[in-house]
Amino acid sequence: MSARTLPLLFLNLGGEMLYILDQRLRAQSIPGEKARKDEWTDVDRKRVMNDIISTMFNKRFMEELFKPQDLYSKKALRTVYDRLAHASIMRLNQASMDKLYDLMTMAFKYQVLLCPRPRDILLVTFNHLDAIKDFISDSPGILNQVDETFRQLIETYNCLSDGEFQLIRQTLLIFFQDMHIRVSIFLKDKVQNSNGRFVLPISGPVPWGTEVPGLIRIFNHKGVEVKRTEFTSAGNYVTPQREGSFELYGDRVLKLGTNMYSVTRPVETHMSGSSKNLASQAKENIVPNPLAKEELNFLARLLGGLDLQKPTGGETGFRLNLFTTDEEEEHAAQTRPEELSYKVINIEATQEPGRRAELSRILGELEVMEPRPGSAEKGEDLLALMDGL
Amino acid sequence: GVPTLRPYRRERSLALRSSSSALYNNLAVLCPPARAPAFGAVHGTTLSLLGNEGPPRQLQARGGGSALSTPLLTQAAWCELPSRVLLVLTSQRGVQMYESDGSTMVFWHALDVSEQPAAHSVFARGIAAAGGRFICVGTSSGAVLVFDIPPKGTNVTLSEVLEQHRDPITDIAAEQGQAPDRAGDLVTADDSGTLCLWSTGEEFTLLGKIPGSGSTCSSVTLWNGIVAAGYGNGQIRLWEAGSGRIRAQVSAHARWIYALDLAPLTGKLLSGAEDSFVHVWKLSRNPDTDDIEIQHCHAECVTDTQVCGARFCDPAGDTFAVTGYDLSEILCY
């Protein structure tokens, strides 16, 4: 319902995706000197992160994103991240991509649900951006792009009222409705129940601007307070210490949106299996969405033309597996419940001549800014292709 | 005196075909005398209806038109008028009115989208029957549409547009008891927390305006000249409708209040919020001091659920029902 929801959805999901990719790349990387031709190194990891972040924060893309508009359908949005994840030399099989998307969406759903105030969704976004800036801290060109987006966020959102933020939050919650995929790291930390629902604590600090429940004040007809009473209930709340910063730099205070993954905490999901709750989600996929064509044209304009050529030599070396073994990934692909399939669409750049001209122009702008470290032939054919566009 | 506390018990829940969306006042209840109540809860683009007779039914938001996706519903409520009961749905496109069982659409009003600048969201929200003859519906521009409802048939007309609010309307409530003189019989609330008090009729008259103080008023009730308002900062405030003065302030919830309801026979007040709690309070007037009192009666914690709808199921407030975000049932107490 709120026409300002898409930038927040896109940036936060993108942030979660980067956390996960970074963790998986680190977990699978080998020190440079010891690496075989088809194994991941630190240099590769940095390149992938740089490429994806640079594509994500592309100026034209951001301009389109920040225009007031309705949220995309789940299908269309999933396709955007598919393209984004493939903006570099890295490849993901369908099963890994599905898992990546599950993790991203459940993480952000959790963050939106647990935000103390609707306005705190902005702090969550800033947490993601702060971390993204860290990933590309030695690439000033890309850093600039991210800072630009940061400034645009501040300009667009800092002045919105609480009511408008709540509308944004409600719009996001409608988008995430009925998603109950269980995430290992959430289950372990006891923030998610075994039925896939998140734990909502009834203790801790109240949101900034809210009082700890309990006080009843009575005023007479002159406006003078004449009585105070208290009531008690099960919650155990305290006053918050301070408010998070909404500036370009500052302590956000809120932990939601910071990186919860580390090399030692693997990312896993369990399929929650068929249940009544999934029925409504399945319906959304089946009912044809007349808007889809418009969305896809837009996506094609922005991210299209990135040819997904099969890289030469040693296919597995380019592939990132979100599972611990290839067998697991294969198994996951075969056993994924039908209701949870994302039915990703293949985008072809459209054939209309006018569109083609526009595409070439935008593709020129999508070139990665930073000079690449001159490493192996890995993905060079592909990169050459992108450079030549 | 101290209200007699008959403890509420959790009863059997009612299954919904789809879960409830996180929207203000997301539970509609119709309590016909001597019959089981009917319920409605919004899920995205549909309204799930659980009738007292017949199978459950779903109503769809209307107004897709020209390659646009089905619009989202914002609220649903039964409007009880002396001659008939209508079920009203509000959405991003407009207002739909049905016969009370949802079987036939009686009227459709499309919102004028072109008036709004692109960045602003357009929707209708806030529904109440007023003055024994009208149905009032709020909009995201702050305008309140007043529809004149004939005793039967489909000849509903837009009688007036009230333009006193500058922020999106959140809720509207009509006087459920006896209004004292000059107190007005309708209250409208908006995103900024501003409350307007009206006297209904051929022409509605603005009697007073209570400015907001930084917190959204998401839900409002009016009873015996007392306005009870629930806010985004978790407070419940009681206002004297006639004078516009604040009479009570309760730090009621730890999160945004999503629903308030009032039982007119007893003055019981129900509040539900994102903090998972539902509270029952008792409003009263002290006959000596004329002070308005509010006492806490009961608390329920709906574990791991953000409450989005809460309504009494009988005029005395002995029973109530609750909906929560992502919950596919209606909880009854």
Side-chain angles (χ1 to χ4, degrees):
Chain A
M1 272 178 302
S2 169
R4 295 207 177 283
T5 315
L6 190 58
L8 298 180
L9 182 61
F10 175 76
L11 289 171
N12 284 293
L13 285 181
E16 286 301 315
M17 180 176 85
L18 290 166
Y19 288 160
I20 298 163
L21 291 178
D22 182 67
Q23 191 273 330
R24 290 309 290 164
L25 288 168
R26 280 177 198 272
Q28 291 181 8
S29 83
I30 312 288
E33 332 81 61
K34 302 203 187 120
R36 294 196 314 268
K37 187 180 139 168
D38 59 351
E39 280 176 334
W40 288 104
T41 66
D42 240 29
V43 169
D44 295 326
R45 174 176 57 80
K46 283 220 161 94
R47 174 197 291 182
V48 170
M49 295 299 281
N50 276 12
D51 288 351
I52 294 178
I53 293 171
S54 174
T55 308
M56 202 171 133
F57 287 87
N58 171 270
K59 191 169 147 81
R60 271 297 303 270
F61 186 54
M62 280 296 140
E63 261 168 32
E64 282 297 323
L65 195 71
F66 271 81
K67 288 189 182 147
Q69 59 195 300
D70 278 335
L71 278 190
Y72 290 171
S73 66
K74 292 195 173 106
K75 242 190 284 187
L77 198 68
R78 161 62 200 265
T79 310
V80 173
Y81 289 106
D82 236 34
R83 304 297 297 199
L84 206 52
H86 288 95
S88 186
I89 55 173
M90 184 184 69
R91 295 288 158 267
L92 290 165
N93 282 347
Q94 176 85 328
S96 275
M97 192 63 221
D98 284 345
K99 176 171 166 177
L100 175 64
Y101 196 69
D102 286 344
L103 290 169
M104 285 159 54
T105 43
M106 287 309 287
F108 188 42
K109 177 176 182 174
Y110 171 69
Q111 289 151 18
V112 172
L113 208 50
L114 261 82
C115 262
R117 303 170 297 177
R119 180 178 298 276
D120 292 336
I121 292 177
L122 203 50
L123 289 178
V124 171
T125 316
F126 291 162
N127 272 336
H128 280 117
L129 288 192
D130 288 340
I132 289 173
K133 281 163 70 170
D134 226 29
F135 284 137
I136 40 114
S137 53
D138 39 350
S139 310
I142 312 176
L143 201 52
N144 239 359
Q145 284 175 261
V146 179
D147 268 339
E148 252 321 293
T149 304
F150 219 123
R151 272 181 226 112
Q152 193 166 10
L153 274 174
I154 291 175
E155 192 183 297
T156 310
Y157 291 97
N158 274 19
C159 56
L160 294 188
S161 68
D162 286 345
E164 280 168 301
F165 269 111
Q166 182 62 281
L167 191 69
I168 288 172
R169 183 172 175 275
Q170 290 175 345
T171 311
L172 287 168
L173 288 178
I174 290 174
F175 185 84
F176 289 127
Q177 199 152 346
D178 302 321
M179 294 185 66
H180 300 296
I181 298 162
R182 290 170 297 160
V183 176
S184 237
I185 202 173
F186 287 142
L187 294 170
K188 283 203 189 90
D189 287 349
K190 304 238 188 299
V191 302
Q192 192 179 26
N193 294 319
S194 53
N195 62 5
R197 286 160 191 281
F198 291 118
V199 173
L200 301 184
I202 55 170
S203 59
V206 288
W208 191 262
T210 295
E211 286 165 10
V212 173
L215 188 61
I216 301 175
R217 300 165 68 191
I218 306 287
F219 304 90
N220 67 12
H221 63 276
K222 292 207 194 90
V224 177
E225 185 181 313
V226 292
K227 190 157 96 170
R228 276 193 179 210
T229 51
E230 301 239 343
F231 74 94
T232 52
S233 78
N236 183 14
Y237 298 102
V238 294
T239 336
Q241 295 277 359
R242 60 191 192 284
E243 190 183 13
S245 160
F246 288 87
E247 308 292 314
L248 193 58
Y249 301 99
D251 179 8
R252 312 297 174 196
V253 179
L254 198 63
K255 291 290 162 258
L256 294 170
T258 54
N259 196 346
M260 59 178 164
Y261 303 103
S262 68
V263 187
T264 52
R265 307 189 84 190
V267 290
E268 288 162 41
T269 53
H270 301 286
M271 286 301 108
S272 58
S274 345
S275 86
K276 185 168 69 133
N277 287 330
L278 297 173
S280 28
Q281 193 184 11
K283 275 206 198 94
E284 211 244 314
N285 284 334
I286 292 164
V287 171
N289 180 3
L291 190 57
K293 187 160 180 292
E294 279 306 308
E295 294 170 339
L296 294 181
N297 284 340
F298 165 60
L299 295 173
R301 284 207 328 272
L302 291 174
L303 289 178
L306 289 180
D307 249 304
L308 298 186
Q309 295 261 331
K310 282 254 182 281
T312 55
E315 223 221 43
T316 45
F318 297 86
R319 225 185 76 231
L320 182 69
N321 188 347
L322 249 75
F323 299 83
T324 30
T325 63
D326 286 348
E327 290 70 39
E328 251 194 71
E329 188 186 46
E330 179 59 35
H331 178 74
Q334 286 168 352
T335 58
R336 188 176 181 86
E338 181 55 32
E339 312 88 85
L340 295 180
S341 111
Y342 286 105
K343 296 185 175 52
V344 175
I345 312 141
N346 275 322
I347 296 179
E348 309 292 346
T350 68
Q351 295 308 304
E352 305 164 33
R355 278 260 155 74
R356 235 183 291 142
E358 164 119 76
L359 263 168
S360 313
R361 192 167 55 77
I362 297 174
L363 288 171
E365 294 176 42
L366 279 177
E367 271 185 54
V368 174
M369 309 287 213
E370 294 303 307
R372 261 169 226 100
S375 82
E377 324 110 70
K378 268 201 286 296
E380 223 167 306
D381 291 351
L382 179 64
L383 293 172
L385 199 72
M386 277 167 69
D387 286 347
L389 287 169
Chain B
V2 178
T4 40
L5 297 171
R6 230 192 79 231
Y8 292 89
R9 254 187 2 257
R10 172 88 189 264
E11 308 243 311
R12 201 165 52 117
S13 310
L14 304 169
L16 283 169
R17 226 191 266 167
S18 13
S19 62
S20 302
S21 292
L23 298 164
Y24 303 141
N25 307 301
N26 191 6
L27 178 60
V29 177
L30 179 65
C31 316
R35 281 199 291 161
F39 299 96
V42 172
H43 169 94
T45 59
T46 59
L47 175 69
S48 285
L49 282 178
L50 291 180
N52 29 31
E53 49 215 32
R57 166 182 249 153
Q58 296 211 305
L59 293 181
Q60 191 82 1
R62 183 191 145 146
S66 65
L68 294 171
S69 49
T70 320
L72 294 169
L73 288 173
T74 54
Q75 197 183 354
W78 274 282
C79 291
E80 295 182 67
L81 294 163
S83 52
R84 68 200 296 192
V85 176
L86 290 181
L87 174 62
V88 180
L89 277 62
T90 50
S91 76
Q92 288 178 282
R93 294 277 177 279
V95 186
Q96 294 153 251
M97 297 190 191
Y98 294 81
E99 296 296 353
S100 69
D101 63 353
S103 57
T104 356
M105 192 184 303
V106 168
F107 179 69
W108 156 250
H109 172 91
L111 290 175
D112 192 351
V113 180
S114 58
E115 274 178 13
Q116 293 300 311
H120 289 100
S121 321
V122 176
F123 53 86
R125 184 176 60 187
I127 306 166
R133 184 180 147 194
F134 304 100
I135 288 179
C136 301
V137 176
T139 67
S140 49
S141 66
V144 175
L145 310 171
V146 180
F147 295 98
D148 198 336
I149 313 292
K152 52 185 183 205
T154 60
N155 190 21
V156 175
T157 53
L158 179 61
S159 143
E160 220 183 326
V161 178
L162 310 173
E163 284 171 325
Q164 284 291 333
H165 290 273
R166 285 204 221 94
D167 296 275
I169 302 294
T170 47
D171 197 18
I172 305 178
E175 170 62 66
Q176 287 177 260
Q178 284 289 106
D181 291 334
R182 293 172 292 114
D185 58 337
L186 188 77
V187 60
T188 52
D190 74 26
D191 253 6
S192 71
T194 301
L195 303 170
C196 286
L197 286 138
W198 308 85
S199 148
T200 63
E202 282 281 339
E203 264 182 43
F204 280 44
T205 321
L206 178 72
L207 296 181
K209 203 186 258 195
I210 299 170
S213 51
S215 196
T216 301
C217 172
S218 39
S219 200
V220 73
T221 68
L222 179 56
W223 178 72
N224 292 353
I226 305 169
V227 175
Y231 294 86
N233 62 3
Q235 279 186 359
I236 294 175
R237 291 183 176 181
L238 302 183
W239 306 86
E240 180 89 67
S243 64
R245 285 191 195 272
I246 190 167
R247 299 307 298 266
Q249 182 168 299
V250 185
S251 305
H253 289 274
R255 292 267 193 290
W256 205 286
I257 293 179
Y258 260 59
L260 283 188
D261 196 27
L262 190 126
L265 288 186
T266 53
K268 280 207 190 138
L269 181 73
L270 185 67
S271 65
E274 283 176 0
D275 64 353
S276 305
F277 279 92
V278 175
H279 290 293
V280 182
W281 318 82
K282 180 86 158 49
L283 305 189
S284 57
R285 254 194 214 272
N286 187 316
D288 306 318
T289 62
D290 206 36
D291 282 342
I292 296 170
E293 305 256 333
I294 175 167
Q295 279 162 306
H296 184 253
C297 300
H298 186 79
E300 280 292 335
C301 179
V302 188
T303 314
D304 297 335
T305 304
Q306 298 199 341
V307 174
C308 54
R311 294 244 182 235
F312 285 118
C313 300
D314 67 282
D318 290 332
T319 55
F320 62 87
V322 173
T323 53
Y325 169 65
D326 250 357
L327 210 57
S328 294
E329 46 186 4
I330 296 178
L331 307 173
C332 302
Y333 296 81

Coordinates of all heavy atoms in Angstrom, one line a residue, chain A residues 28-72:
Chain A
Q28 N 34.3 -21.4 2.1 CA 34.8 -22.3 1.1 C 36.1 -21.8 0.5 O 36.6 -22.4 -0.5 CB 33.7 -22.4 0.0 CG 32.5 -23.2 0.4 CD 31.5 -23.4 -0.6 OE1 31.7 -23.0 -1.8 NE2 30.3 -23.9 -0.3
S29 N 36.7 -20.8 1.0 CA 37.9 -20.2 0.3 C 39.2 -20.8 0.8 O 39.3 -21.3 2.0 CB 37.9 -18.7 0.4 OG 38.5 -18.3 1.7
I30 N 40.1 -20.9 -0.1 CA 41.4 -21.5 0.2 C 42.5 -20.3 0.1 O 42.3 -19.5 -0.8 CB 41.7 -22.5 -0.9 CG1 40.5 -23.4 -1.1 CG2 43.0 -23.3 -0.6 CD1 40.3 -24.4 0.0
P31 N 43.5 -20.4 0.9 CA 44.6 -19.3 0.7 C 45.1 -19.3 -0.7 O 45.3 -20.4 -1.3 CB 45.7 -19.7 1.7 CG 45.0 -20.6 2.7 CD 43.8 -21.3 2.0
G32 N 45.3 -18.1 -1.2 CA 45.7 -17.9 -2.6 C 46.7 -18.8 -3.2 O 46.6 -19.4 -4.2
E33 N 47.9 -19.0 -2.5 CA 49.0 -19.8 -3.0 C 48.6 -21.2 -3.1 O 49.1 -21.9 -4.0 CB 50.2 -19.7 -2.2 CG 50.4 -18.4 -1.3 CD 49.6 -18.4 -0.1 OE1 49.8 -19.3 0.8 OE2 48.7 -17.5 0.0
K34 N 47.8 -21.7 -2.2 CA 47.5 -23.1 -2.2 C 46.3 -23.5 -3.1 O 46.1 -24.7 -3.4 CB 47.1 -23.6 -0.8 CG 48.2 -23.3 0.2 CD 48.1 -24.2 1.4 CE 49.0 -23.8 2.5 NZ 48.4 -23.4 3.8
A35 N 45.6 -22.5 -3.6 CA 44.4 -22.8 -4.4 C 44.7 -23.4 -5.7 O 45.6 -23.0 -6.4 CB 43.6 -21.5 -4.5
R36 N 43.8 -24.4 -6.0 CA 43.9 -25.0 -7.4 C 43.2 -24.0 -8.3 O 42.5 -23.0 -7.8 CB 43.2 -26.3 -7.5 CG 43.8 -27.4 -6.7 CD 43.3 -28.8 -7.1 NE 41.9 -28.8 -7.3 CZ 41.0 -29.1 -6.3 NH1 41.5 -29.5 -5.1 NH2 39.7 -29.1 -6.5
K37 N 43.3 -24.3 -9.6 CA 42.7 -23.3 -10.6 C 41.2 -23.2 -10.3 O 40.6 -22.1 -10.6 CB 42.9 -23.9 -12.0 CG 42.5 -23.0 -13.1 CD 42.8 -23.6 -14.4 CE 41.6 -23.3 -15.4 NZ 41.9 -23.5 -16.7
D38 N 40.5 -24.2 -9.8 CA 39.0 -24.1 -9.7 C 38.5 -23.9 -8.3 O 37.4 -24.1 -8.0 CB 38.4 -25.4 -10.3 CG 38.9 -26.6 -9.5 OD1 39.8 -26.5 -8.7 OD2 38.4 -27.7 -9.8
E39 N 39.4 -23.4 -7.4 CA 39.0 -23.2 -6.0 C 38.9 -21.7 -5.7 O 39.6 -20.9 -6.3 CB 40.0 -23.9 -5.1 CG 39.7 -25.4 -4.9 CD 40.7 -26.0 -4.0 OE1 41.8 -25.5 -3.9 OE2 40.4 -27.1 -3.4
W40 N 38.0 -21.4 -4.8 CA 37.8 -20.0 -4.4 C 39.0 -19.5 -3.6 O 39.5 -20.1 -2.7 CB 36.5 -19.9 -3.5 CG 35.3 -20.1 -4.3 CD1 34.5 -21.2 -4.3 CD2 34.7 -19.2 -5.1 NE1 33.4 -21.0 -5.1 CE2 33.5 -19.8 -5.6 CE3 35.0 -17.9 -5.5 CZ2 32.6 -19.1 -6.5 CZ3 34.1 -17.2 -6.4 CH2 33.0 -17.8 -6.9
T41 N 39.4 -18.2 -3.8 CA 40.4 -17.6 -3.0 C 39.7 -16.3 -2.4 O 38.7 -15.9 -2.8 CB 41.6 -17.2 -3.8 OG1 41.2 -16.2 -4.7 CG2 42.2 -18.4 -4.5
D42 N 40.5 -15.7 -1.5 CA 40.1 -14.4 -0.9 C 39.9 -13.4 -2.0 O 39.0 -12.5 -1.9 CB 41.2 -14.0 0.0 CG 40.6 -13.8 1.4 OD1 39.7 -14.6 1.7 OD2 41.1 -13.0 2.2
V43 N 40.8 -13.4 -3.0 CA 40.7 -12.4 -4.0 C 39.4 -12.6 -4.8 O 38.8 -11.6 -5.2 CB 42.0 -12.6 -5.0 CG1 41.8 -11.7 -6.2 CG2 43.2 -12.2 -4.2
D44 N 39.1 -13.8 -5.1 CA 37.8 -14.1 -5.8 C 36.6 -13.6 -5.0 O 35.7 -13.0 -5.5 CB 37.7 -15.6 -6.0 CG 38.7 -16.2 -6.9 OD1 39.1 -15.5 -7.8 OD2 39.1 -17.3 -6.7
R45 N 36.7 -13.9 -3.7 CA 35.6 -13.5 -2.8 C 35.4 -11.9 -2.9 O 34.3 -11.4 -3.1 CB 35.8 -13.9 -1.4 CG 34.8 -13.4 -0.4 CD 35.0 -13.9 1.0 NE 36.3 -13.6 1.5 CZ 36.7 -12.4 2.0 NH1 35.8 -11.4 2.1 NH2 37.9 -12.2 2.5
K46 N 36.5 -11.2 -2.8 CA 36.4 -9.8 -2.8 C 35.8 -9.3 -4.2 O 35.0 -8.4 -4.2 CB 37.8 -9.1 -2.6 CG 38.2 -9.1 -1.2 CD 38.9 -7.8 -0.8 CE 38.9 -7.6 0.7 NZ 40.2 -8.1 1.3
R47 N 36.3 -10.0 -5.2 CA 35.8 -9.6 -6.6 C 34.3 -9.8 -6.7 O 33.6 -8.9 -7.2 CB 36.5 -10.4 -7.6 CG 35.9 -10.1 -9.0 CD 36.3 -11.2 -10.0 NE 37.7 -11.1 -10.3 CZ 38.3 -11.9 -11.2 NH1 37.6 -12.8 -11.9 NH2 39.6 -11.8 -11.5
V48 N 33.8 -11.0 -6.2 CA 32.4 -11.2 -6.3 C 31.6 -10.2 -5.5 O 30.6 -9.6 -6.0 CB 32.1 -12.7 -5.7 CG1 30.6 -12.9 -5.6 CG2 32.7 -13.7 -6.7
M49 N 32.1 -9.9 -4.3 CA 31.3 -8.9 -3.4 C 31.3 -7.6 -4.1 O 30.3 -6.9 -4.2 CB 32.0 -8.8 -2.1 CG 32.0 -10.1 -1.2 SD 30.3 -10.7 -0.9 CE 29.9 -9.6 0.5
N50 N 32.5 -7.2 -4.6 CA 32.6 -5.9 -5.3 C 31.6 -5.8 -6.5 O 30.9 -4.8 -6.7 CB 34.0 -5.6 -5.8 CG 34.9 -5.0 -4.7 OD1 34.5 -5.0 -3.6 ND2 36.0 -4.6 -5.1
D51 N 31.6 -6.9 -7.3 CA 30.8 -6.9 -8.5 C 29.3 -6.8 -8.1 O 28.6 -6.0 -8.7 CB 31.0 -8.2 -9.3 CG 32.4 -8.2 -10.0 OD1 33.0 -7.1 -10.0 OD2 32.7 -9.2 -10.5
I52 N 28.9 -7.6 -7.2 CA 27.5 -7.6 -6.8 C 27.1 -6.3 -6.2 O 26.0 -5.7 -6.6 CB 27.2 -8.8 -5.8 CG1 27.4 -10.1 -6.5 CG2 25.7 -8.6 -5.3 CD1 27.1 -11.3 -5.7
I53 N 27.9 -5.8 -5.3 CA 27.5 -4.5 -4.7 C 27.5 -3.4 -5.7 O 26.6 -2.5 -5.6 CB 28.5 -4.2 -3.5 CG1 28.3 -5.2 -2.4 CG2 28.3 -2.8 -3.0 CD1 29.4 -5.2 -1.3
S54 N 28.5 -3.4 -6.6 CA 28.5 -2.3 -7.6 C 27.2 -2.4 -8.5 O 26.7 -1.3 -8.8 CB 29.8 -2.5 -8.4 OG 29.7 -1.6 -9.5
T55 N 26.8 -3.6 -8.8 CA 25.6 -3.7 -9.6 C 24.4 -3.2 -8.8 O 23.5 -2.6 -9.4 CB 25.4 -5.1 -10.1 OG1 26.6 -5.6 -10.7 CG2 24.3 -5.3 -11.1
M56 N 24.4 -3.7 -7.6 CA 23.2 -3.4 -6.7 C 23.0 -1.9 -6.6 O 21.9 -1.4 -6.5 CB 23.5 -4.0 -5.4 CG 22.3 -4.2 -4.5 SD 22.8 -5.2 -3.1 CE 22.0 -4.3 -1.8
F57 N 24.1 -1.1 -6.5 CA 24.0 0.3 -6.2 C 24.2 1.2 -7.4 O 24.5 2.4 -7.3 CB 25.0 0.7 -5.1 CG 24.6 0.2 -3.7 CD1 24.9 -1.0 -3.3 CD2 23.8 1.0 -2.9 CE1 24.5 -1.5 -2.1 CE2 23.4 0.5 -1.7 CZ 23.7 -0.7 -1.2
N58 N 24.0 0.6 -8.6 CA 24.1 1.3 -9.8 C 23.2 2.5 -9.8 O 22.0 2.4 -9.4 CB 23.7 0.3 -10.9 CG 23.6 1.1 -12.2 OD1 22.5 1.5 -12.6 ND2 24.7 1.2 -13.0
K59 N 23.7 3.6 -10.2 CA 23.0 4.9 -10.1 C 21.6 4.9 -10.8 O 20.6 5.3 -10.2 CB 23.8 6.0 -10.7 CG 23.3 7.4 -10.4 CD 24.4 8.4 -10.8 CE 23.8 9.7 -11.4 NZ 23.4 10.6 -10.3
R60 N 21.6 4.3 -12.0 CA 20.3 4.3 -12.7 C 19.3 3.4 -12.0 O 18.1 3.7 -11.9 CB 20.5 3.8 -14.2 CG 20.8 4.9 -15.1 CD 19.7 5.9 -15.3 NE 18.5 5.3 -15.7 CZ 18.1 5.1 -17.0 NH1 18.9 5.5 -17.9 NH2 17.0 4.5 -17.2
F61 N 19.8 2.3 -11.6 CA 18.9 1.3 -10.9 C 18.3 2.0 -9.7 O 17.1 1.9 -9.4 CB 19.8 0.1 -10.5 CG 18.9 -1.0 -10.0 CD1 17.8 -1.5 -10.7 CD2 19.3 -1.6 -8.8 CE1 17.1 -2.5 -10.1 CE2 18.5 -2.6 -8.2 CZ 17.4 -3.1 -8.9
M62 N 19.2 2.7 -8.9 CA 18.7 3.3 -7.7 C 17.6 4.4 -8.0 O 16.7 4.5 -7.3 CB 19.8 3.9 -6.9 CG 20.6 2.9 -6.1 SD 19.6 2.2 -4.8 CE 20.1 0.5 -4.8
E63 N 17.9 5.1 -9.1 CA 16.9 6.1 -9.5 C 15.5 5.5 -9.7 O 14.5 6.0 -9.2 CB 17.3 6.8 -10.8 CG 18.0 8.1 -10.5 CD 18.7 8.6 -11.8 OE1 18.2 8.3 -12.9 OE2 19.8 9.3 -11.7
E64 N 15.5 4.4 -10.5 CA 14.3 3.7 -10.7 C 13.6 3.2 -9.4 O 12.4 3.3 -9.2 CB 14.5 2.6 -11.7 CG 14.7 2.9 -13.1 CD 13.4 3.6 -13.7 OE1 12.3 3.2 -13.4 OE2 13.6 4.5 -14.5
L65 N 14.5 2.7 -8.6 CA 14.0 2.0 -7.4 C 13.3 3.0 -6.5 O 12.3 2.7 -5.8 CB 15.2 1.4 -6.7 CG 15.0 0.4 -5.5 CD1 14.4 -0.9 -6.1 CD2 16.2 0.2 -4.8
F66 N 13.9 4.2 -6.4 CA 13.3 5.2 -5.4 C 12.1 5.9 -5.9 O 11.5 6.7 -5.2 CB 14.4 6.2 -5.0 CG 15.2 5.8 -3.9 CD1 16.3 4.9 -4.0 CD2 14.9 6.3 -2.6 CE1 17.0 4.5 -3.0 CE2 15.7 5.8 -1.5 CZ 16.8 5.0 -1.7
K67 N 11.7 5.6 -7.2 CA 10.4 6.2 -7.6 C 9.3 5.6 -6.9 O 9.2 4.4 -6.7 CB 10.2 6.0 -9.1 CG 11.2 6.8 -10.0 CD 10.8 6.7 -11.5 CE 11.9 7.5 -12.3 NZ 12.1 6.9 -13.6
P68 N 8.3 6.4 -6.5 CA 7.1 5.8 -5.7 C 6.4 4.8 -6.6 O 6.1 5.1 -7.8 CB 6.2 7.0 -5.5 CG 7.1 8.2 -5.6 CD 8.2 7.9 -6.6
Q69 N 6.2 3.6 -6.1 CA 5.6 2.5 -6.9 C 5.2 1.4 -5.9 O 5.6 1.4 -4.8 CB 6.6 2.0 -7.9 CG 7.9 1.4 -7.3 CD 9.0 1.2 -8.3 OE1 8.8 0.4 -9.2 NE2 10.1 1.8 -8.0
D70 N 4.3 0.6 -6.5 CA 3.9 -0.6 -5.7 C 5.0 -1.6 -5.6 O 5.9 -1.6 -6.4 CB 2.7 -1.3 -6.4 CG 1.4 -0.6 -6.0 OD1 1.3 0.1 -5.0 OD2 0.4 -0.6 -6.8
L71 N 4.9 -2.5 -4.6 CA 5.9 -3.6 -4.5 C 5.8 -4.5 -5.7 O 4.7 -4.7 -6.2 CB 5.6 -4.4 -3.2 CG 6.2 -3.8 -1.9 CD1 6.0 -4.9 -0.8 CD2 7.6 -3.4 -2.0
Y72 N 6.9 -5.1 -6.0 CA 6.8 -6.1 -7.1 C 6.2 -7.4 -6.5 O 6.1 -7.6 -5.3 CB 8.3 -6.5 -7.5 CG 9.0 -5.5 -8.3 CD1 10.3 -5.6 -8.6 CD2 8.3 -4.3 -8.7 CE1 11.0 -4.7 -9.3 CE2 9.0 -3.4 -9.4 CZ 10.4 -3.5 -9.7 OH 11.1 -2.6 -10.4

